[in-house]
Amino acid sequence: MDQGTWAPGAKALAPGDPESIDGYRILGKLGEGGMGAVYLGLAGSGQKVAIKVVRPEFAGTESFRARFASEVANARRVASFCTARVLEHGETHGMPYLVTEYIEGPSLADYVKAHGAVPAGQLRSIAIGVATALTAIHAVRLVHRDLKPANVLLSATGPRVIDFGIARAIDAGERHTRTGNVVGTPGWVAPEQLFDGQVGTAVDIFTWGTLIAYAATGRHPYGTGNLATLAARAREAGHDLSGVPGELLPLVRAALAPTPAGRPTADAILRHLAGGEDAERAATDIIGREWTAPRVAAPSPETREDVLPGAPAPRRRRRGWLGPAITAAATAVVAGGAGIAVLAAQGDGEHPAEESSAAPSAAATQRRAAVFTRISDPCGTIPPALAAELVPNGRPVPTENVAEGVFGAGGVGTGCGWTSGGQPGSDVQRTRNLVVEFVISPEANGGAARTARDYALGRSTVQGRANTTVGDGSYGPLTSLGGVGDEAFAATSRTRAEDGAVFTGAAAGIRHRNVLIEIRYGGADYTADGKAPLDDSGVPPERMREAAGRVAVAVVNGLNACPQCYNE
């Protein structure tokens, strides 16, 4: 296994393990459990992913396939901040698989096993981060049901909750586990879950309290024993919370109330810990300011069964497209007095392969770990030949102090725009506009953690406009753009101008380390004299989407190749 492609905690492949899965090269095995195996994979873009493959003996049963389908649907509904993002799923040789981002870092279980209690500063961030993740999970009416130290990873940007394999949609009537079975891990099951068969959001609050007490003291608050013994102690409030810091003690004690009605909600916990009207944004700021990634020996793969880590896609990538909306924040493309506003909305769909997106070099991969401090030449991030192809006779115009920032994020904003010029002698006048904007979140202002938070909020806002029609505008689905930065999405829009022209636009949003990037591209085709629309249908959205995807790949590669833009 060559250097630069392996990751801590991954074991060498054994006979019978796959060498590739649908375009992903398999680098090693991260873990194996009752449900299946988790492999470390490498996408065609050079980014690492975690691939969870179902065991053959389960894959053939309808009940398990139903459960697996629910797992994918549930995971896709959860916002990615403080959780592991699901990239795609499929089937290989009759076995279903799930691809998620690869999150580098030990689990909380690994850390406590190696070092004991977590220091106070990191403990507060873990409490806030896990509460933030539960708030996102519960917001879409899901229950994690298996929150435990092995399912909390301590990444470079903060704690991340993983494994929604047994999450249950509260509003779904489907039950894929047999009656009488208790899904969960001994010591991490709420008393009502075992004794009464009740499974609601309160079971996650109970395990949040158990987990924080465990992290604060290095021991389980209910001691040792089997499932029934520990649950019986929990029902009688027989916990030992000595050693839990006073700041967290009231919340932990409330979370461990024997009955669900006595426990706070995840949102209430988050507001108490982070404060402010926008508790999630405050949580991002706190984690970005206070979090220091722990250093621990590479975890045993056996303890990493459920690690579903970080980065995007394969050769048949999934592309994220912002379903544009027409607002004042959109870009106007001037063409014969008419304008197009290209914005963003969300949904999911297939992303065709991009022949131009070669795997990054080792140097570029190393630069991804750097912190960006400035965009020295925003116009230079796009190759001149690509800009000339997409925007005929256009000239780059740099912009500073991007209004309101990308997705409304705060930070240092800059960008570049191209607007097409006349095309003498052409039978078709292609009016096009391309805008690329960047916002850097400095380390002092939260850095990569804040960027992740702003990206998640922006994506959520955009998604609300996907697949809708508003007035003369219609917005396409949002899809995940694999292999671009840390995560990316994109979408399309169409609107009709007063002169009858149909303007088609595409937009892409990218999170790359501590930089947010927004790309907007759109336009319409006119007759040779530029006075009338070429036809009534406009440019196909797929064509604009493909072009925006090419720009996204070029921009990220341009940043990676800019040594003066980052600090090691």
Side-chain angles (χ1 to χ4, degrees):
M1 191 175 299
D2 41 298
Q3 290 292 328
T5 59
W6 184 79
K11 293 196 303 184
L13 296 177
D17 286 329
E19 295 183 355
S20 66
I21 296 176
D22 283 357
Y24 295 96
R25 177 187 168 199
I26 303 303
L27 304 178
K29 182 179 285 186
L30 291 169
E32 191 167 14
M35 184 176 178
V38 182
Y39 295 98
L40 175 64
L42 190 69
S45 64
Q47 292 179 299
K48 293 173 184 173
V49 298
I51 307 174
K52 188 173 189 176
V53 181
V54 175
R55 287 183 178 277
E57 56 266 34
F58 289 122
T61 67
E62 289 301 321
S63 62
F64 189 85
R65 287 179 180 276
R67 179 180 169 186
F68 188 81
S70 291
E71 173 180 355
V72 175
N74 292 346
R76 281 188 175 278
R77 293 169 61 190
V78 178
S80 61
F81 180 66
C82 286
T83 63
R85 184 169 50 94
V86 172
L87 301 174
E88 70 165 331
H89 70 285
E91 191 170 294
T92 178
H93 302 296
M95 295 181 291
Y97 67 84
L98 179 69
V99 183
T100 71
E101 60 175 324
Y102 177 76
I103 300 172
E104 190 77 46
S107 71
L108 177 60
D110 292 320
Y111 181 90
V112 171
K113 183 177 180 180
H115 300 285
V118 174
Q122 290 178 332
L123 179 65
R124 181 168 181 250
S125 290
I126 291 172
I128 291 173
V130 176
T132 302
L134 291 180
T135 298
I137 293 168
H138 296 172
V140 295
R141 300 184 60 78
L142 297 181
V143 182
H144 189 293
R145 297 224 298 180
D146 197 25
L147 183 64
K148 58 187 178 183
N151 284 341
V152 176
L153 298 185
L154 309 182
S155 76
T157 58
R160 304 282 289 274
V161 174
I162 64 169
D163 194 0
F164 303 103
I166 55 176
R168 168 179 173 246
I170 302 172
D171 54 357
E174 297 179 350
R175 302 283 180 87
H176 302 313
T177 53
R178 296 179 182 176
T179 302
N181 282 3
V182 175
V183 181
T185 302
W188 306 95
V189 175
E192 71 273 14
Q193 192 174 350
L194 178 63
F195 297 113
D196 304 318
Q198 297 180 19
V199 180
T201 55
V203 304
D204 289 342
I205 302 304
F206 177 86
T207 48
W208 176 89
T210 308
L211 184 142
I212 300 307
Y214 169 82
T217 64
R219 66 179 186 278
H220 198 286
Y222 295 104
T224 59
N226 59 30
L227 175 65
T229 298
L230 294 176
R233 289 175 189 158
R235 186 168 57 175
E236 301 300 325
H239 46 57
D240 177 7
L241 300 182
S242 57
V244 176
E247 173 191 17
L248 295 172
L249 184 58
L251 281 176
V252 171
R253 183 178 287 118
L256 297 180
T259 60
R263 299 171 200 153
T265 64
D267 183 66
I269 292 174
L270 181 60
R271 289 181 181 280
H272 183 92
L273 291 173
E277 293 186 3
D278 190 345
E280 291 187 22
R281 184 173 290 275
T284 303
D285 293 341
I286 292 170
I287 293 173
R289 192 169 56 247
E290 299 181 0
W291 179 254
T292 301
R295 296 184 179 277
V296 67
S300 156
E302 285 75 10
T303 68
R304 295 285 299 271
E305 170 192 346
D306 298 317
V307 174
L308 301 183
R315 296 185 180 177
R316 50 162 207 151
R317 298 181 227 156
R318 306 181 64 80
R319 179 181 276 169
W321 298 106
L322 306 180
I326 299 174
T327 71
T331 298
V333 177
V334 179
I340 174 176
V342 181
L343 206 127
Q346 297 186 341
D348 276 322
E350 290 300 320
H351 167 33
E354 293 266 320
E355 294 300 328
S356 61
S357 57
S361 65
T365 302
Q366 290 177 347
R367 287 170 189 160
R368 283 202 187 93
V371 174
F372 290 93
T373 56
R374 66 185 183 122
I375 309 298
S376 59
D377 180 14
C379 298
T381 57
I382 299 180
L386 178 59
E389 175 191 345
L390 299 180
V391 188
N393 294 332
R395 294 182 179 179
V397 178
T399 58
E400 297 294 337
N401 302 318
V402 175
E404 298 184 1
V406 178
F407 303 137
V412 182
T414 186
C416 190
W418 293 257
T419 299
S420 60
Q423 299 139 57
S426 175
D427 293 337
V428 178
Q429 295 294 307
R430 297 167 56 223
T431 61
R432 299 289 188 271
N433 180 263
L434 171 63
V435 174
V436 181
E437 294 177 344
F438 306 85
V439 169
I440 295 176
S441 182
E443 287 299 282
N445 194 30
R450 174 152 191 162
T451 297
R453 160 68 178 161
D454 288 341
Y455 174 89
L457 288 176
R459 180 181 172 105
S460 177
T461 300
V462 164
Q463 189 165 14
R465 302 187 181 98
N467 299 310
T468 64
T469 298
V470 179
D472 290 331
S474 62
Y475 312 111
L478 178 140
T479 59
S480 295
L481 181 60
V484 180
D486 293 324
E487 53 183 327
F489 66 98
T492 57
S493 69
R494 306 185 82 182
T495 187
R496 188 175 296 275
E498 291 183 2
D499 66 356
V502 174
F503 286 87
T504 308
I510 306 164
R511 175 176 72 85
H512 189 50
R513 298 300 297 166
N514 61 321
V515 182
L516 279 180
I517 308 165
E518 185 169 338
I519 296 166
R520 301 189 294 272
Y521 179 65
D525 290 341
Y526 282 77
T527 54
D529 58 8
K531 296 180 179 180
L534 187 65
D535 55 44
D536 293 333
S537 59
V539 180
E542 294 76 14
R543 188 184 303 171
M544 292 298 193
R545 174 183 298 174
E546 192 269 343
R550 293 171 61 195
V551 173
V553 171
V555 166
V556 172
N557 286 342
L559 286 182
N560 289 340
C562 175
Q564 64 268 36
C565 293
Y566 61 88
N567 287 339
E568 293 289 358

